[in-house]
Amino acid sequence: MSNTQGGHAIVVHGGAGSSCDYTDGCERAARYAVEELGISGDALEAAIAAVTVMEDDGRFNAGRGSVLCLDGATVEMDAAVMDTRGRLGAVACVQGIENPVLLARAVADTPHWFLAGEGANRFAAAIRHPAWNTISEHQREQHRQVREALAGSAPSMPGVRGDAFLRFWNYRGAPDLPAAAACDTVGAVVRAADGHFGVASSTGGSAPSLLGRVGDTPIIGSGFYAGPAGAVAATGIGEHIVRHLLAHRVYSWIEDGMPLDRALQRGIDLFGKDVAVGLIAVSRTEAGARSNRDMPQASIISD
Ligand code: ASP
């Protein structure tokens, strides 16, 4: 935990359960956020700058590194942005585009706050949002690991047998899989020197998952929240996080005056040890991160 009174504060995460070898990617993202603060001074644009860097990194489960769906070909991505100037935007299940967080930012300028699936993709085409359809060797390797995990006896998610996915298969083609979940969203929370807060998050979802699956990341109050007392982003297994409205719950504790570290830990303690979960937050005076798994992270706090 750090005291941030008076200046800016940035906290970035690379996903609960993701390798801490990727910390350099979070540090780079945090530096980009600082640069953006130097240019615009805008908390949301700084959070988006950080998330954009991690989407482009290729190692995180977001943007170019997003996990492949069970069919080994489809990538579905979710992203969200929110700040204390009233900007709020989210996308879910978008395919074949670059930087979903920038699409979420664009949605914030429409009459709506959330676009999903084909409509989100058509919106991307309408505003000439750049396409991205390249599947990397890193993504293929991740998919091989998910397939192997499904073939084993370990549950594919806490309390869920692997073959549950086969029974409800909703992909176009027939399953060619034998029947450990992988997930690791990226996110950033920022407090700007003017006292505004911003949050941005992006994910390739969880693996394994059925087509059309949406976790917590683009759901306001579950995966993210920003208000006058701070900003919070969550990572981990979305199916569990949404049940606790985790981001808003932790925000409320901070708003009520609970020390930030205690609020984060209390949020983590809502979950059993088998559920990967992580949180980052900034408040008017503090900044911090907590997870019950390895979680690459970085923070930059001004004097
Ligand atoms: N929360 C994300 C989801 O469930 C995954 C993650 O944070 O790793 O889609």
Side-chain angles (χ1 to χ4, degrees):
M1 176 183 68
S2 314
N3 195 296
T4 71
Q5 190 131 35
H8 64 244
I10 294 149
V11 188
V12 166
H13 77 77
S18 188
S19 168
C20 286
D21 291 348
Y22 305 164
T23 298
D24 62 302
C26 295
E27 290 168 347
R28 197 162 156 263
R31 287 197 298 274
Y32 267 77
V34 172
E35 262 180 44
E36 179 57 42
L37 280 179
I39 297 164
S40 66
D42 185 317
L44 182 62
E45 296 304 339
I48 290 170
V51 167
T52 303
V53 168
M54 290 190 284
E55 285 180 336
D56 290 344
D57 186 295
R59 294 174 295 173
F60 300 105
N61 175 20
R64 295 183 183 188
S66 295
V67 289
L68 291 172
C69 290
L70 276 176
D71 62 357
T74 311
V75 175
E76 290 188 324
M77 300 171 288
D78 311 328
V81 303
M82 183 176 188
D83 76 355
T84 45
R85 295 177 195 275
R87 291 175 291 191
L88 171 66
V91 291
C93 294
V94 277
Q95 298 186 17
I97 64 145
E98 201 148 43
N99 297 122
V101 74
L102 295 178
L103 193 63
R105 172 68 187 85
V107 171
D109 289 336
T110 72
H112 307 301
W113 81 275
F114 194 175
L115 294 179
E118 190 185 340
N121 266 95
R122 287 193 189 197
F123 173 66
I127 63 167
R128 299 186 191 288
H129 190 91
W132 182 265
N133 285 300
T134 310
I135 294 175
S136 68
E137 191 40 48
H138 176 79
Q139 286 169 295
R140 290 192 203 288
E141 176 51 33
Q142 298 273 80
H143 186 246
R144 271 193 288 275
Q145 286 174 19
V146 169
R147 286 178 56 122
E148 275 170 31
L150 281 170
S153 53
S156 51
M157 288 173 61
V160 178
R161 289 171 50 117
D163 59 10
F165 289 95
L166 293 182
R167 279 193 285 126
F168 301 111
W169 186 265
N170 66 351
Y171 292 82
R172 280 215 174 83
D176 67 339
L177 289 170
C183 54
D184 38 36
T185 300
V186 303
V189 290
V190 175
R191 173 180 181 268
D194 64 3
H196 276 287
F197 295 98
V199 55
S201 289
S202 181
T203 188
S206 68
S209 72
L210 297 171
L211 206 60
R213 178 263 184 196
V214 179
D216 60 302
T217 303
I219 307 296
I220 185 170
S222 288
F224 68 96
Y225 194 77
V232 181
T235 168
I237 301 177
E239 283 75 0
H240 290 264
I241 290 172
V242 294
R243 289 176 158 81
H244 292 281
L245 295 173
L246 184 61
H248 188 264
R249 200 152 175 188
V250 171
Y251 171 83
S252 302
W253 292 330
I254 293 169
E255 191 179 39
D256 290 347
M258 189 182 289
L260 185 136
D261 256 3
R262 222 171 95 211
L264 294 179
Q265 190 58 51
R266 195 167 165 191
I268 301 293
D269 290 344
L270 292 169
F271 300 85
K273 289 200 178 357
D274 55 340
V275 177
V277 63
L279 284 160
I280 57 173
V282 286
S283 69
R284 291 192 197 105
T285 56
E286 296 178 296
R290 282 288 168 99
S291 179
N292 61 8
R293 296 286 189 282
D294 282 349
M295 183 172 81
Q297 59 189 268
S299 56
I300 298 179
I301 292 147
S302 72
D303 300 331

